[in-house]
């Protein structure tokens, strides 16, 4: 007896070819439901679904899939789909995909891509490989990519794309619309929100939103329609400052010009959204002594190499703290109760210091704090640290007294905690500001320094205070 | 003798009234240069500069200014400028400004604002005050704001604005352009990137980009022009998930619909950019046991109240660690050298744990990790933690031996550090996942737990190991 598998509702839907309904159905699926569905489907139906998926969803699916199954998926994708997929993937997966794609296919795949994405992909390859691929592309496509490759990845030049609409001031609105139409026919995926207006030497004069264009008299010339406010940046500008422009002025795109004000390209807001998230990830992980790369799954050794410097710094700090305790071993062996408060003193100093340094690093990153108003902010953190020190130190004073029955012990541990916490708030704020001042990324540098310094100073304050009051503690 | 002050270049420029040149001049100034300039200028010239500044730059200037000087600035601004300014300010400064503005002026100021910004401002006031102001506004303006006020600030409904272009499917392109023109005449600041197409019952059918509209035959109807892919969200959706939509699908705006698919409003990408930054700030500060509110300068007591719960948690953890040391005081007093490694053991466990939890929290936040692939990620972190433990533990083994001349002491401290670090990597990854699972913000909850647990387990491992090997340590 053979069993006939009945066609499921999904099969019927897929075979019906009702694009709208298929899309609606797919959109309503949760991410894991979609992945489960794709894993269960037969190859032809899976290929059909791929064609309806947004490349970003396809990228998600692939990322979740074990590497051995990648080939089966890639075989179902044409050049255009591969090009869209590559644009959506991130570093480690791009590398992995590039290893699987035949390099002779890359010129065709890159030709389908926007110039900034293509440059990002080529940037992942060795210079030699990249040049070999560029040589196989038509000059009109490889030239802009080659130019983009000259800029650092995290600069305005690294973010910009060369695809844009630039027309002379003398054009009329209807001539401009004709120019848009010609470009859109060549590249129908191109997002257009505004057009750039240039003079006869390709220097940027200003920009006009599509809204203005659509509402203007078709015969009027562009010169009179320019947006009152418009911004531009140079290609060397750091991507964080580019993101500031978008955030401050609510931009959708931003032209990039050279020193002579010639239009080089434009940056679009979708890339900036990624920059903001990337920079935040970087800060979060660097504050913990980890690294952006750690968000990648499977590179154990790389993770270890990236984290070990900061752990060794802290190992040294911890040993220095231990050495200080050894110096005071006479006091400690006489009054053994003192050691029970060592974890509190070092731990609390570390916590307050981390709070202050996280706030300072973030404050600088989002321009809430700068060097001109830092004094006011430092004064606030100092008072917060002192007040927290009073509360925690006061509690510890009482606990120290009740636990070991020695009021003087309470006074020593409580006042030490107060001093350690106040000082930690100050160093926690000062170090990031200092590193910002000398142009070192404060998120990268502050973590290890603040923790180590607060451990050392905390224990010094504590043991010195204890030694001074030694005779009362011995009672 | 009287001195005549010569008119400066800037005076001449300002008096010339060459708008373009004044804007160019202002744009080239650094932030602090601009602030310095504004502070030096005479009142009439300052007012002139204000009118050329982007409201965001004006907001920056005001934020830097001591509160006593605010009134002098506010007097130079009309309702429209005040409305723009309020839209650009953040929480604490909005509060401060609202206290200075006469509340009878607020209806007029809010009328000039986009609905989402107006709702945000009213959300800062008491319900009573907000209602009183809404009553003084024309119904057509207060109704949409009142509706927006019903949604939580951090939901799709809280982000959306009601200003948009929605036209019936049956409209032709030229009728649509006429509709845009009418709306643009009423509200010339409105950003339009796409139009929404609705059926006769105001249900969303799809959207059309301005680019498509500008290139279409003016007589064709909208039904055939709809974008193939379009997305929508319900107003209850959390703002983080809204941001995911924008990021994933590179959106410029996103319609919000109710359960019956009726169009309620739209969310624009400029608001989403702020959401992404805000959520990142929240994670960074919460991981350190601090709070978003800490980015505000002058609320000492509020900062203290927000940070104290987590510090008390850690105070308890530190005391518990100290108590464990007290339980082992026989071992510790016999072998005093053991105490010199207490800071290293607790510190390093804490560091590795913080690294793992920061990576996990961030991984969940940017969807790099989810509960389905968490196992793979945990296994990676465990191996990284173990390898780091081997390296740091191995070093400490050698140091312990060389310092105190006892090879067994080296073995005890080295192996304890290895175990503590491996375990810290595991707990550091598990806790955020657990909190994500039970729908508690992992950034908020993980910090205190991970640090406390790693301190306690680290010291337990260390002192237990030392007690087991006690007789060899005494040699």
């Amino acid at each position: 007896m053979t069993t006939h598998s009945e066609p499921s509702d999904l099969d019927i839907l897929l075979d019906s070819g009702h694009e709208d309904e298929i899309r609606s159905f797919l959109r309503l699926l949760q991410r894991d439901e979609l992945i489960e569905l794709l894993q269960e489907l037969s190859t032809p139906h899976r290929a059909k679904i791929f064609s309806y998926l947004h490349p970003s969803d396809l990228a998600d699916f692939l990322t979740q899939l074990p590497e051995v199954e990648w080939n089966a998926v890639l075989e179902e994708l044409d050049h255009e789909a591969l090009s869209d997929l590559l644009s959506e993937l991130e570093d480690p997966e791009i590398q992995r995909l590039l290893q699987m794609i035949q390099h002779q296919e890359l010129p065709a795949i890159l030709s389908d891509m926007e110039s900034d994405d293509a440059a990002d992909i080529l940037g992942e390859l060795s210079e030699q490989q990249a040049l070999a691929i560029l040589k196989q592309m038509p000059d009109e496509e490889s030239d802009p990519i080659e130019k983009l490759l000259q800029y650092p990845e995290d600069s305005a030049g690294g973010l910009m794309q060369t695809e844009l609409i630039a027309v002379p001031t003398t054009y009329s609105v209807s001539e401009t619309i004709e120019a848009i139409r010609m470009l859109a026919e060549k590249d129908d995926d191109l997002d257009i929100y505004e057009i750039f207006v240039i003079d006869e030497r390709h220097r940027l004069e200003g920009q006009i939103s599509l809204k203005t264009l659509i509402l203007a008299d078709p015969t009027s010339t562009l010169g009179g329609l320019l947006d009152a406010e418009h911004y531009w940046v140079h290609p060397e500008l750091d991507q964080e400052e580019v993101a500031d422009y978008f955030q401050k002025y609510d931009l959708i795109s931003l032209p990039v010009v050279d020193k002579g004000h010639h239009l080089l390209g434009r940056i679009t807001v979708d890339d900036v959204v990624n920059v903001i998230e990337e920079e935040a990830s970087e800060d979060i992980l660097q504050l913990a002594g980890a690294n952006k790369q750690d968000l990648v799954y499977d590179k154990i050794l790389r993770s270890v190499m990236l984290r070990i410097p900061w752990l060794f710094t802290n190992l040294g700090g911890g040993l220095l703290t231990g050495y200080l305790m050894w110096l005071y071993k006479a006091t400690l062996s006489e009054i053994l109760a003192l050691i029970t408060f060592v974890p509190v003193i070092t731990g609390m100093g570390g916590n307050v210091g981390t709070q202050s340094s996280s706030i300072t690093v973030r404050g600088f990153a989002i321009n809430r704090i700068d060097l001109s108003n830092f004094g006011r902010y430092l004064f606030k953190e100092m008072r917060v640290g002192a007040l927290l020190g009073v509360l925690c130190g006061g509690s510890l004073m009482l606990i120290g007294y009740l636990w070991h029955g020695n009021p003087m012990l309470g006074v020593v541990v409580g006042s030490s905690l107060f001093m350690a916490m106040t000082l930690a708030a100050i160093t926690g704020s000062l170090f990031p500001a200092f590193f910002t001042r000398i142009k070192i990324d404060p998120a990268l540098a502050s973590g290890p320094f603040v923790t180590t310094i607060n451990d050392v100073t905390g224990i010094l304050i504590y043991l010195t205070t204890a030694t001074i009051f030694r005779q009362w503690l011995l009672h």
Side-chain angles (χ1 to χ4, degrees), chain A residues 86 98 101-111 113 118-119 121-139 141-143 145-146 149:
Chain A
L86 264 173
L98 286 178
I101 299 177
Q102 301 297 322
H103 277 206
Q104 59 266 36
E105 290 183 55
L106 270 180
I109 294 173
L110 292 178
S111 293
M113 245 180 233
I121 301 292
L122 286 175
E124 298 290 323
L125 298 172
S126 74
E127 213 183 308
Q128 221 177 342
Q129 286 174 312
L131 281 176
I133 291 165
L134 282 169
K135 258 193 207 139
Q136 295 170 57
M137 294 170 69
D139 282 355
E141 277 170 13
S142 64
D143 282 355
I145 301 176
E146 242 167 301
L149 277 171

Side-chain angles (χ1 to χ4, degrees), chain A residues 341 344-345 348 386-404 406-407 409-418 421:
Chain A
F341 298 103
V344 171
I345 300 277
M348 297 296 280
L387 200 48
L388 290 169
V390 167
L391 292 172
C392 294
S395 314
L396 194 62
M397 192 178 290
L398 198 66
I399 292 165
Y401 166 44
L402 294 176
W403 183 358
H404 295 287
N406 182 335
L409 185 64
V411 171
V412 166
V413 295
S415 57
S416 300
L417 187 60
F418 163 73
M421 287 174 70

Side-chain angles (χ1 to χ4, degrees), chain A residues 4 35 55 89 136 221 245-246 248 285 307 344:
Chain A
H4 288 274
I35 289 166
L89 286 174
Q136 295 170 57
T221 54
Y245 266 87
F246 276 84
K248 227 170 130 90
L285 298 182
R307 291 195 222 170
V344 171

